[in-house]
Structure formats: structure tokens, C-alpha cells
Amino acid sequence: IVVSVNGTSNAQLYQSTGGNFSAIGSANLTNNANVWFETANNILYGFNQTEVVSWDGTTVTKNPATVPIGKYAQWFHNYLFVANTAGFPHRIFWSNLGDPTTFVNTNFVDINPGDGDQILGLGIIQDELLVFKRETIWAITGFAGTTFNATTISTQNTELRIIGYGTNAPNSIVPIGNDVYYFSMLGGAPVIRSVRKTSNAVTLGGGVITNRIRTTMGTINTNQLPLITGIFDGRYIYWSIPIGANTYNSEVLILDTWRISTSKNI
């Protein structure tokens, strides 16, 4: 288990193999910055748009050469995708096939840059890489080994899946196979929505699933939505959420993904 722990002026990575946590690397990371962790080819990466760190089980490397300093990452089809760098918030870069340590600066695609909206998270639904913005959700397809390239991705296989609602809680995105659940907004209130793959292999919005707990959802601090974090254990999704005026996650919502397949509400 690897975590990023804030210090007074810096943050540092700590690791545990089942007991106490011990520091790894140097205490020279930006504190108070959300870190998006992703494992790629047995290397753990952490992204916060200010620096990138990698941990191979022995050595922590800060800002490894050629790896974009983005905010979000996803290891998918043996490519490491990195999105939302400071200069290009609508851009996704990808690594060489099977090599998350090597990026070529021409391997990127801009996701509808004219909409003025930045990428706010990544997810996976079967053979699609989902790209979340605040108001839209896009899909990248067309994975075919070394033939996957910038021309193919931009002209043929980058498609708009959902329009009108995306996410503003990046770490709330939780894929579970044929469904991806995430926090979104409905008017001024937060809700949980889904994107699902139908039996006909069509990716569609699954709608709002939190109608039965609207009172609870209304207590979430909407100024702290980026703090929301979700994890899946094989049946249940757990979301930690900030309640009231809290600037930290203070409660947990639990979704039984087996039951929701029949009730479609929690």
C-alpha cells in the first residue's frame, strides 16, 4: 500500500506491506495536492499536475524522463494514458506499447478542445477508455497494438458518448465491468450516475441511481467534490464523502452492485 502524506511544507510517499507505514523517496513533493495513482507494468505512478513520481518497489523517481506531468492516468491495453497537463487540460498523451516509461511527444489527442472544458478523469468500460469532462463523456476505441496512433484515434475512434453531464469529482469514477459509476450534478445537487454497456454492446447513460437517498446527497459539501473517492471490492462500491461544511471526507456511502442490477436505485 502506497500513500502520499502531507507535511508542513511538502508531501512524501509512504509504503506498507501489511504493518506500519515507512517513508520512501524524499519529502520533496507538493503538499495539499490530490494524487492520482495508477499501476502500469508493475510500476506505480502518482500524478498531481505539478510532478510525477514512480515507484518500482525499490526506488522512487520524481519526474521520470518523457512521462507527461498530468493529473489523471490509466493503464489500458498496455498503454499508459496521461491526461490534463497544465498547458493542455484537454489533451491525452499515451506511452509506447507495453512501455509506460517512454512517451513520444507526438502521441496525443485533444478531446474537443473548443468546448473550453478540461478533462476531469478517466475510466474503463470493456474495450473503451472513457474520458470525463464536466459536461460530457467521451470514448476512445480502436486499440490494435502498434497500429494505434494519433491519426486513427482522432479521426475514427474518439466519440462522444454522453452530453449534458459529466463529473466534477474525478476520484469518484468507479468501473465495475459493464458499468461505470460516478458523481455528477443535477442542478445544484450532487447525484450518482452510471454509464453502462448494454446487451447490444452500446454504451449509454444509465441515469441517476440515488433518487432514494436525495436527503443524504443534499448534505454533501459541493465545494469539496474533488475529495470524493470511490473503491470497488468485487461487490460493493464505497465512496468517502465530505458532509456539511467539512473539508475532509467524513462519511461513507455503500452501493451493493448486485442489488442495484435489479432495483437501479440505492
Side-chain angles (χ1 to χ4, degrees):
I1 300 173
V2 176
V3 298
S4 177
V5 178
N6 275 335
T8 303
S9 57
N10 297 96
Q12 183 169 5
L13 297 185
Y14 282 71
Q15 64 96 17
S16 170
T17 57
N20 295 328
F21 280 85
S22 58
I24 54 177
S26 301
N28 60 353
L29 305 178
T30 301
N31 67 340
N32 299 320
N34 289 336
V35 178
W36 183 293
F37 287 107
E38 182 68 12
T39 301
N41 214 16
N42 294 318
I43 301 173
L44 179 68
Y45 290 88
F47 296 84
N48 66 11
Q49 206 185 47
T50 302
E51 58 252 332
V52 179
V53 288
S54 65
W55 164 244
D56 61 5
T58 303
T59 303
V60 174
T61 302
K62 180 179 177 180
N63 296 335
T66 81
V67 178
I69 302 176
K71 290 186 74 172
Y72 313 110
Q74 189 77 61
W75 177 245
F76 188 50
H77 277 293
N78 289 317
Y79 296 93
L80 180 59
F81 292 86
V82 178
N84 195 335
T85 60
F88 300 97
H90 49 264
R91 181 167 292 180
I92 296 181
F93 299 87
W94 63 87
S95 69
N96 286 358
L97 180 64
D99 181 9
T101 64
T102 304
F103 286 72
V104 177
N105 59 13
T106 55
N107 284 347
F108 67 84
V109 63
D110 292 324
I111 305 298
N112 203 36
D115 63 8
D117 200 358
Q118 63 179 307
I119 295 172
L120 288 175
L122 302 173
I124 296 171
I125 186 166
Q126 290 194 3
D127 201 40
E128 300 182 17
L129 177 66
L130 295 181
V131 183
F132 288 77
K133 290 189 167 188
R134 194 177 305 275
E135 303 293 341
T136 54
I137 302 174
W138 299 74
I140 295 175
T141 59
F143 297 92
T146 56
T147 64
F148 181 75
N149 56 57
T151 301
T152 301
I153 194 173
S154 62
T155 61
Q156 300 175 24
N157 299 302
T158 304
E159 302 172 0
L160 180 62
R161 288 287 187 252
I162 306 294
I163 188 169
Y165 49 84
T167 193
N168 41 13
N171 290 294
S172 73
I173 301 167
V174 181
I176 65 164
N178 288 334
D179 300 87
V180 177
Y181 294 95
Y182 64 98
F183 274 69
S184 186
M185 295 294 290
L186 182 61
V191 296
I192 299 176
R193 297 182 182 271
S194 72
V195 179
R196 61 179 48 194
K197 184 78 73 171
T198 71
S199 58
N200 295 318
V202 178
T203 303
L204 298 173
V208 175
I209 66 167
T210 46
N211 288 325
R212 294 182 182 177
I213 58 168
R214 283 179 288 183
T215 299
T216 299
M217 297 297 289
T219 66
I220 295 174
N221 186 347
T222 56
N223 293 321
Q224 302 295 330
L225 293 179
L227 295 180
I228 296 173
T229 302
I231 191 170
F232 181 51
D233 72 356
R235 174 170 176 174
Y236 298 96
I237 300 176
Y238 304 85
W239 283 284
S240 58
I241 56 175
I243 293 298
N246 290 338
T247 57
Y248 55 89
N249 292 337
S250 52
E251 291 191 11
V252 175
L253 289 178
I254 303 173
L255 170 64
D256 185 338
T257 61
W258 178 79
R259 288 184 178 275
I260 199 173
S261 66
T262 58
S263 68
K264 296 185 180 179
N265 277 280
I266 60 174

CSV table of all heavy atoms in Angstrom, one decimal, residues 105-152:
chain,number,residue,atom,x,y,z
A,105,ASN,N,6.5,12.7,-27.9
A,105,ASN,CA,5.7,13.9,-27.8
A,105,ASN,C,4.6,14.1,-28.8
A,105,ASN,O,3.8,15.0,-28.7
A,105,ASN,CB,6.6,15.1,-27.6
A,105,ASN,CG,7.5,15.3,-28.8
A,105,ASN,OD1,7.3,14.7,-29.9
A,105,ASN,ND2,8.5,16.2,-28.7
A,106,THR,N,4.7,13.3,-29.9
A,106,THR,CA,3.6,13.4,-31.0
A,106,THR,C,2.4,12.5,-30.7
A,106,THR,O,1.5,12.5,-31.5
A,106,THR,CB,4.2,13.1,-32.3
A,106,THR,OG1,4.8,11.9,-32.3
A,106,THR,CG2,5.2,14.2,-32.7
A,107,ASN,N,2.5,11.6,-29.7
A,107,ASN,CA,1.4,10.7,-29.4
A,107,ASN,C,0.5,11.3,-28.4
A,107,ASN,O,0.6,11.1,-27.2
A,107,ASN,CB,2.0,9.4,-28.9
A,107,ASN,CG,2.6,8.5,-30.0
A,107,ASN,OD1,2.4,8.8,-31.2
A,107,ASN,ND2,3.3,7.5,-29.6
A,108,PHE,N,-0.5,12.0,-29.0
A,108,PHE,CA,-1.5,12.6,-28.1
A,108,PHE,C,-2.8,12.9,-28.9
A,108,PHE,O,-2.7,12.9,-30.2
A,108,PHE,CB,-1.0,14.0,-27.5
A,108,PHE,CG,-0.8,15.1,-28.5
A,108,PHE,CD1,-1.9,15.9,-28.9
A,108,PHE,CD2,0.5,15.3,-29.0
A,108,PHE,CE1,-1.7,16.9,-29.8
A,108,PHE,CE2,0.7,16.3,-30.0
A,108,PHE,CZ,-0.4,17.1,-30.3
A,109,VAL,N,-3.9,13.1,-28.3
A,109,VAL,CA,-5.1,13.6,-28.9
A,109,VAL,C,-5.8,14.6,-28.0
A,109,VAL,O,-5.8,14.5,-26.8
A,109,VAL,CB,-6.0,12.4,-29.2
A,109,VAL,CG1,-6.5,11.7,-27.9
A,109,VAL,CG2,-7.3,12.8,-30.0
A,110,ASP,N,-6.3,15.6,-28.6
A,110,ASP,CA,-7.1,16.7,-27.9
A,110,ASP,C,-8.6,16.3,-28.0
A,110,ASP,O,-9.1,16.0,-29.0
A,110,ASP,CB,-6.9,18.0,-28.6
A,110,ASP,CG,-5.5,18.5,-28.4
A,110,ASP,OD1,-4.9,18.3,-27.4
A,110,ASP,OD2,-5.0,19.2,-29.3
A,111,ILE,N,-9.2,16.2,-26.8
A,111,ILE,CA,-10.6,15.9,-26.7
A,111,ILE,C,-11.5,17.1,-26.7
A,111,ILE,O,-11.6,17.8,-25.8
A,111,ILE,CB,-10.9,15.1,-25.4
A,111,ILE,CG1,-9.9,13.9,-25.3
A,111,ILE,CG2,-12.3,14.6,-25.3
A,111,ILE,CD1,-10.1,12.8,-26.4
A,112,ASN,N,-12.0,17.4,-27.9
A,112,ASN,CA,-12.9,18.5,-28.1
A,112,ASN,C,-12.4,19.8,-27.4
A,112,ASN,O,-13.1,20.4,-26.6
A,112,ASN,CB,-14.3,18.2,-27.6
A,112,ASN,CG,-15.4,19.0,-28.3
A,112,ASN,OD1,-15.3,19.3,-29.5
A,112,ASN,ND2,-16.4,19.4,-27.5
A,113,PRO,N,-11.2,20.3,-27.8
A,113,PRO,CA,-10.7,21.4,-27.1
A,113,PRO,C,-11.5,22.7,-27.2
A,113,PRO,O,-11.4,23.6,-26.4
A,113,PRO,CB,-9.3,21.6,-27.8
A,113,PRO,CG,-9.4,21.0,-29.1
A,113,PRO,CD,-10.4,19.8,-28.9
A,114,GLY,N,-12.3,22.8,-28.2
A,114,GLY,CA,-13.1,24.0,-28.4
A,114,GLY,C,-14.2,24.2,-27.4
A,114,GLY,O,-14.8,25.3,-27.4
A,115,ASP,N,-14.5,23.2,-26.6
A,115,ASP,CA,-15.6,23.4,-25.6
A,115,ASP,C,-15.2,24.1,-24.4
A,115,ASP,O,-16.1,24.4,-23.5
A,115,ASP,CB,-16.3,22.0,-25.3
A,115,ASP,CG,-15.3,21.1,-24.5
A,115,ASP,OD1,-14.2,21.5,-24.2
A,115,ASP,OD2,-15.7,19.9,-24.4
A,116,GLY,N,-13.9,24.4,-24.2
A,116,GLY,CA,-13.5,25.2,-23.0
A,116,GLY,C,-13.5,24.4,-21.8
A,116,GLY,O,-13.4,24.9,-20.7
A,117,ASP,N,-13.7,23.1,-21.8
A,117,ASP,CA,-13.9,22.2,-20.7
A,117,ASP,C,-12.6,21.3,-20.6
A,117,ASP,O,-12.1,20.8,-21.6
A,117,ASP,CB,-15.1,21.3,-20.8
A,117,ASP,CG,-15.6,20.8,-19.5
A,117,ASP,OD1,-15.0,21.0,-18.5
A,117,ASP,OD2,-16.6,20.1,-19.5
A,118,GLN,N,-12.1,21.1,-19.4
A,118,GLN,CA,-10.9,20.3,-19.2
A,118,GLN,C,-11.3,18.8,-18.9
A,118,GLN,O,-12.4,18.5,-18.5
A,118,GLN,CB,-10.1,20.8,-18.0
A,118,GLN,CG,-10.8,20.8,-16.7
A,118,GLN,CD,-9.9,21.3,-15.6
A,118,GLN,OE1,-8.8,20.9,-15.4
A,118,GLN,NE2,-10.4,22.3,-14.9
A,119,ILE,N,-10.4,17.9,-19.1
A,119,ILE,CA,-10.5,16.5,-18.7
A,119,ILE,C,-10.5,16.4,-17.2
A,119,ILE,O,-9.6,17.0,-16.6
A,119,ILE,CB,-9.5,15.6,-19.4
A,119,ILE,CG1,-9.6,15.7,-20.9
A,119,ILE,CG2,-9.5,14.2,-18.9
A,119,ILE,CD1,-8.5,15.0,-21.7
A,120,LEU,N,-11.5,15.7,-16.7
A,120,LEU,CA,-11.6,15.6,-15.2
A,120,LEU,C,-11.6,14.1,-14.7
A,120,LEU,O,-12.1,13.8,-13.6
A,120,LEU,CB,-12.8,16.3,-14.7
A,120,LEU,CG,-12.8,17.8,-14.8
A,120,LEU,CD1,-14.1,18.4,-14.4
A,120,LEU,CD2,-11.7,18.3,-13.8
A,121,GLY,N,-11.1,13.2,-15.5
A,121,GLY,CA,-11.0,11.8,-15.1
A,121,GLY,C,-11.0,10.8,-16.2
A,121,GLY,O,-11.5,11.2,-17.3
A,122,LEU,N,-10.6,9.6,-15.9
A,122,LEU,CA,-10.6,8.5,-16.9
A,122,LEU,C,-11.2,7.3,-16.3
A,122,LEU,O,-11.2,7.1,-15.1
A,122,LEU,CB,-9.2,8.2,-17.3
A,122,LEU,CG,-8.3,9.4,-17.9
A,122,LEU,CD1,-6.9,8.9,-18.2
A,122,LEU,CD2,-8.9,9.8,-19.3
A,123,GLY,N,-11.8,6.5,-17.1
A,123,GLY,CA,-12.4,5.2,-16.7
A,123,GLY,C,-12.4,4.2,-17.8
A,123,GLY,O,-12.1,4.5,-18.9
A,124,ILE,N,-12.7,3.0,-17.5
A,124,ILE,CA,-12.8,1.9,-18.5
A,124,ILE,C,-14.1,1.2,-18.4
A,124,ILE,O,-14.6,0.9,-17.3
A,124,ILE,CB,-11.7,0.8,-18.2
A,124,ILE,CG1,-10.3,1.5,-18.3
A,124,ILE,CG2,-11.8,-0.3,-19.1
A,124,ILE,CD1,-9.2,0.6,-17.8
A,125,ILE,N,-14.7,1.0,-19.6
A,125,ILE,CA,-15.9,0.1,-19.7
A,125,ILE,C,-15.6,-0.8,-20.9
A,125,ILE,O,-15.6,-0.4,-22.0
A,125,ILE,CB,-17.1,0.9,-19.9
A,125,ILE,CG1,-18.4,0.1,-19.9
A,125,ILE,CG2,-17.1,1.8,-21.1
A,125,ILE,CD1,-19.7,0.8,-19.7
A,126,GLN,N,-15.4,-2.1,-20.5
A,126,GLN,CA,-15.0,-3.1,-21.5
A,126,GLN,C,-13.8,-2.6,-22.4
A,126,GLN,O,-12.8,-2.4,-21.9
A,126,GLN,CB,-16.2,-3.5,-22.3
A,126,GLN,CG,-17.2,-4.3,-21.5
A,126,GLN,CD,-18.3,-5.0,-22.4
A,126,GLN,OE1,-18.2,-5.0,-23.6
A,126,GLN,NE2,-19.2,-5.6,-21.7
A,127,ASP,N,-14.1,-2.5,-23.7
A,127,ASP,CA,-12.9,-2.2,-24.6
A,127,ASP,C,-12.8,-0.7,-24.9
A,127,ASP,O,-12.2,-0.3,-25.9
A,127,ASP,CB,-13.1,-2.9,-25.9
A,127,ASP,CG,-11.8,-3.1,-26.7
A,127,ASP,OD1,-10.8,-3.3,-26.0
A,127,ASP,OD2,-11.8,-2.9,-27.9
A,128,GLU,N,-13.4,0.2,-24.0
A,128,GLU,CA,-13.4,1.6,-24.3
A,128,GLU,C,-12.7,2.3,-23.1
A,128,GLU,O,-12.9,2.0,-21.9
A,128,GLU,CB,-14.8,2.2,-24.4
A,128,GLU,CG,-15.6,1.6,-25.5
A,128,GLU,CD,-17.0,2.2,-25.6
A,128,GLU,OE1,-17.2,3.3,-25.1
A,128,GLU,OE2,-17.9,1.6,-26.3
A,129,LEU,N,-11.9,3.3,-23.4
A,129,LEU,CA,-11.4,4.2,-22.5
A,129,LEU,C,-12.3,5.4,-22.4
A,129,LEU,O,-12.5,6.1,-23.4
A,129,LEU,CB,-10.0,4.7,-22.8
A,129,LEU,CG,-9.3,5.7,-21.9
A,129,LEU,CD1,-9.0,5.1,-20.5
A,129,LEU,CD2,-8.0,6.2,-22.5
A,130,LEU,N,-12.9,5.6,-21.2
A,130,LEU,CA,-13.8,6.8,-21.1
A,130,LEU,C,-13.1,8.0,-20.6
A,130,LEU,O,-12.3,7.9,-19.7
A,130,LEU,CB,-14.9,6.4,-20.1
A,130,LEU,CG,-15.9,5.3,-20.5
A,130,LEU,CD1,-17.0,5.1,-19.4
A,130,LEU,CD2,-16.6,5.6,-21.8
A,131,VAL,N,-13.4,9.1,-21.2
A,131,VAL,CA,-12.8,10.4,-20.9
A,131,VAL,C,-13.8,11.3,-20.3
A,131,VAL,O,-14.8,11.7,-21.0
A,131,VAL,CB,-12.1,11.0,-22.1
A,131,VAL,CG1,-11.4,12.3,-21.7
A,131,VAL,CG2,-11.1,10.1,-22.7
A,132,PHE,N,-13.7,11.7,-19.1
A,132,PHE,CA,-14.8,12.5,-18.4
A,132,PHE,C,-14.4,14.0,-18.4
A,132,PHE,O,-13.2,14.3,-18.0
A,132,PHE,CB,-14.9,12.1,-16.9
A,132,PHE,CG,-15.6,10.7,-16.8
A,132,PHE,CD1,-14.9,9.6,-17.0
A,132,PHE,CD2,-16.9,10.7,-16.4
A,132,PHE,CE1,-15.6,8.3,-16.8
A,132,PHE,CE2,-17.6,9.5,-16.2
A,132,PHE,CZ,-16.9,8.3,-16.4
A,133,LYS,N,-15.3,14.8,-18.8
A,133,LYS,CA,-15.2,16.2,-18.6
A,133,LYS,C,-16.4,16.7,-17.7
A,133,LYS,O,-17.1,15.8,-17.2
A,133,LYS,CB,-15.3,17.0,-20.0
A,133,LYS,CG,-14.1,16.8,-20.9
A,133,LYS,CD,-14.1,17.7,-22.1
A,133,LYS,CE,-12.8,17.8,-22.8
A,133,LYS,NZ,-12.8,18.8,-23.9
A,134,ARG,N,-16.5,17.9,-17.5
A,134,ARG,CA,-17.6,18.4,-16.6
A,134,ARG,C,-18.9,18.2,-17.2
A,134,ARG,O,-19.9,17.8,-16.5
A,134,ARG,CB,-17.4,19.8,-16.2
A,134,ARG,CG,-18.2,20.3,-15.0
A,134,ARG,CD,-17.9,21.8,-14.7
A,134,ARG,NE,-16.5,22.0,-14.4
A,134,ARG,CZ,-15.9,21.8,-13.3
A,134,ARG,NH1,-16.6,21.3,-12.2
A,134,ARG,NH2,-14.6,22.0,-13.2
A,135,GLU,N,-19.1,18.4,-18.5
A,135,GLU,CA,-20.4,18.3,-19.1
A,135,GLU,C,-20.5,17.2,-20.1
A,135,GLU,O,-21.6,17.0,-20.7
A,135,GLU,CB,-20.7,19.7,-19.8
A,135,GLU,CG,-20.6,20.9,-18.9
A,135,GLU,CD,-21.7,20.9,-17.9
A,135,GLU,OE1,-22.7,20.2,-18.1
A,135,GLU,OE2,-21.5,21.6,-16.9
A,136,THR,N,-19.5,16.5,-20.4
A,136,THR,CA,-19.5,15.4,-21.4
A,136,THR,C,-18.7,14.2,-21.0
A,136,THR,O,-17.8,14.3,-20.2
A,136,THR,CB,-19.0,15.9,-22.8
A,136,THR,OG1,-17.7,16.5,-22.6
A,136,THR,CG2,-20.0,17.0,-23.4
A,137,ILE,N,-19.0,13.1,-21.7
A,137,ILE,CA,-18.1,11.9,-21.5
A,137,ILE,C,-17.8,11.4,-22.9
A,137,ILE,O,-18.7,11.2,-23.7
A,137,ILE,CB,-18.9,10.8,-20.7
A,137,ILE,CG1,-19.2,11.3,-19.3
A,137,ILE,CG2,-18.0,9.6,-20.6
A,137,ILE,CD1,-20.1,10.4,-18.5
A,138,TRP,N,-16.6,11.1,-23.2
A,138,TRP,CA,-16.1,10.7,-24.5
A,138,TRP,C,-15.5,9.3,-24.3
A,138,TRP,O,-15.1,8.8,-23.3
A,138,TRP,CB,-15.0,11.6,-25.0
A,138,TRP,CG,-15.5,13.0,-25.2
A,138,TRP,CD1,-15.7,13.9,-24.2
A,138,TRP,CD2,-15.8,13.6,-26.5
A,138,TRP,NE1,-16.2,15.1,-24.8
A,138,TRP,CE2,-16.3,14.9,-26.2
A,138,TRP,CE3,-15.8,13.2,-27.8
A,138,TRP,CZ2,-16.6,15.8,-27.2
A,138,TRP,CZ3,-16.2,14.1,-28.8
A,138,TRP,CH2,-16.6,15.4,-28.5
A,139,ALA,N,-15.4,8.6,-25.5
A,139,ALA,CA,-14.8,7.2,-25.5
A,139,ALA,C,-13.7,7.1,-26.5
A,139,ALA,O,-13.9,7.7,-27.7
A,139,ALA,CB,-15.9,6.2,-25.8
A,140,ILE,N,-12.7,6.5,-26.2
A,140,ILE,CA,-11.6,6.2,-27.1
A,140,ILE,C,-11.6,4.7,-27.4
A,140,ILE,O,-11.5,3.9,-26.4
A,140,ILE,CB,-10.2,6.6,-26.6
A,140,ILE,CG1,-10.2,8.2,-26.4
A,140,ILE,CG2,-9.1,6.2,-27.5
A,140,ILE,CD1,-8.9,8.7,-25.8
A,141,THR,N,-11.6,4.3,-28.6
A,141,THR,CA,-11.6,2.9,-29.0
A,141,THR,C,-10.6,2.7,-30.1
A,141,THR,O,-9.7,3.5,-30.3
A,141,THR,CB,-13.0,2.5,-29.5
A,141,THR,OG1,-13.3,3.3,-30.7
A,141,THR,CG2,-14.1,2.7,-28.5
A,142,GLY,N,-10.6,1.5,-30.7
A,142,GLY,CA,-9.7,1.3,-31.9
A,142,GLY,C,-8.3,0.8,-31.5
A,142,GLY,O,-7.3,1.1,-32.1
A,143,PHE,N,-8.3,0.0,-30.4
A,143,PHE,CA,-7.0,-0.5,-29.9
A,143,PHE,C,-6.5,-1.7,-30.8
A,143,PHE,O,-7.3,-2.7,-30.9
A,143,PHE,CB,-7.0,-0.9,-28.5
A,143,PHE,CG,-7.4,0.3,-27.6
A,143,PHE,CD1,-8.7,0.6,-27.3
A,143,PHE,CD2,-6.3,1.1,-27.1
A,143,PHE,CE1,-9.0,1.7,-26.5
A,143,PHE,CE2,-6.6,2.2,-26.3
A,143,PHE,CZ,-7.9,2.5,-26.0
A,144,ALA,N,-5.4,-1.6,-31.4
A,144,ALA,CA,-4.9,-2.7,-32.3
A,144,ALA,C,-3.4,-2.7,-32.2
A,144,ALA,O,-2.7,-2.6,-33.3
A,144,ALA,CB,-5.4,-2.5,-33.7
A,145,GLY,N,-2.8,-2.8,-31.0
A,145,GLY,CA,-1.4,-3.0,-31.0
A,145,GLY,C,-0.6,-1.8,-31.5
A,145,GLY,O,-1.0,-0.6,-31.2
A,146,THR,N,0.4,-2.0,-32.3
A,146,THR,CA,1.2,-0.9,-32.7
A,146,THR,C,0.6,0.0,-33.8
A,146,THR,O,1.1,1.1,-34.1
A,146,THR,CB,2.6,-1.4,-33.3
A,146,THR,OG1,2.2,-2.3,-34.4
A,146,THR,CG2,3.3,-2.2,-32.2
A,147,THR,N,-0.6,-0.4,-34.3
A,147,THR,CA,-1.3,0.5,-35.3
A,147,THR,C,-2.1,1.6,-34.6
A,147,THR,O,-2.6,2.4,-35.3
A,147,THR,CB,-2.2,-0.4,-36.2
A,147,THR,OG1,-3.3,-0.9,-35.4
A,147,THR,CG2,-1.5,-1.5,-36.8
A,148,PHE,N,-2.2,1.6,-33.3
A,148,PHE,CA,-2.9,2.6,-32.6
A,148,PHE,C,-2.0,3.9,-32.7
A,148,PHE,O,-0.9,3.9,-32.2
A,148,PHE,CB,-3.1,2.2,-31.2
A,148,PHE,CG,-3.8,3.2,-30.3
A,148,PHE,CD1,-5.2,3.3,-30.4
A,148,PHE,CD2,-3.1,3.9,-29.3
A,148,PHE,CE1,-5.8,4.2,-29.6
A,148,PHE,CE2,-3.8,4.8,-28.5
A,148,PHE,CZ,-5.2,4.9,-28.7
A,149,ASN,N,-2.6,4.9,-33.3
A,149,ASN,CA,-1.8,6.1,-33.5
A,149,ASN,C,-2.6,7.4,-33.5
A,149,ASN,O,-3.9,7.3,-33.4
A,149,ASN,CB,-1.0,6.1,-34.8
A,149,ASN,CG,-1.9,5.9,-36.0
A,149,ASN,OD1,-2.9,6.6,-36.2
A,149,ASN,ND2,-1.7,4.8,-36.8
A,150,ALA,N,-2.0,8.5,-33.5
A,150,ALA,CA,-2.7,9.8,-33.4
A,150,ALA,C,-3.8,10.0,-34.4
A,150,ALA,O,-4.9,10.5,-34.2
A,150,ALA,CB,-1.7,10.9,-33.4
A,151,THR,N,-3.5,9.6,-35.7
A,151,THR,CA,-4.4,9.8,-36.8
A,151,THR,C,-5.7,9.0,-36.6
A,151,THR,O,-6.8,9.4,-36.7
A,151,THR,CB,-3.8,9.5,-38.1
A,151,THR,OG1,-2.7,10.3,-38.3
A,151,THR,CG2,-4.8,9.7,-39.2
A,152,THR,N,-5.5,7.7,-36.2
A,152,THR,CA,-6.6,6.8,-36.0
A,152,THR,C,-7.5,7.3,-34.9
A,152,THR,O,-8.7,7.3,-35.0
A,152,THR,CB,-6.1,5.4,-35.7
A,152,THR,OG1,-5.3,4.9,-36.8
A,152,THR,CG2,-7.2,4.4,-35.5
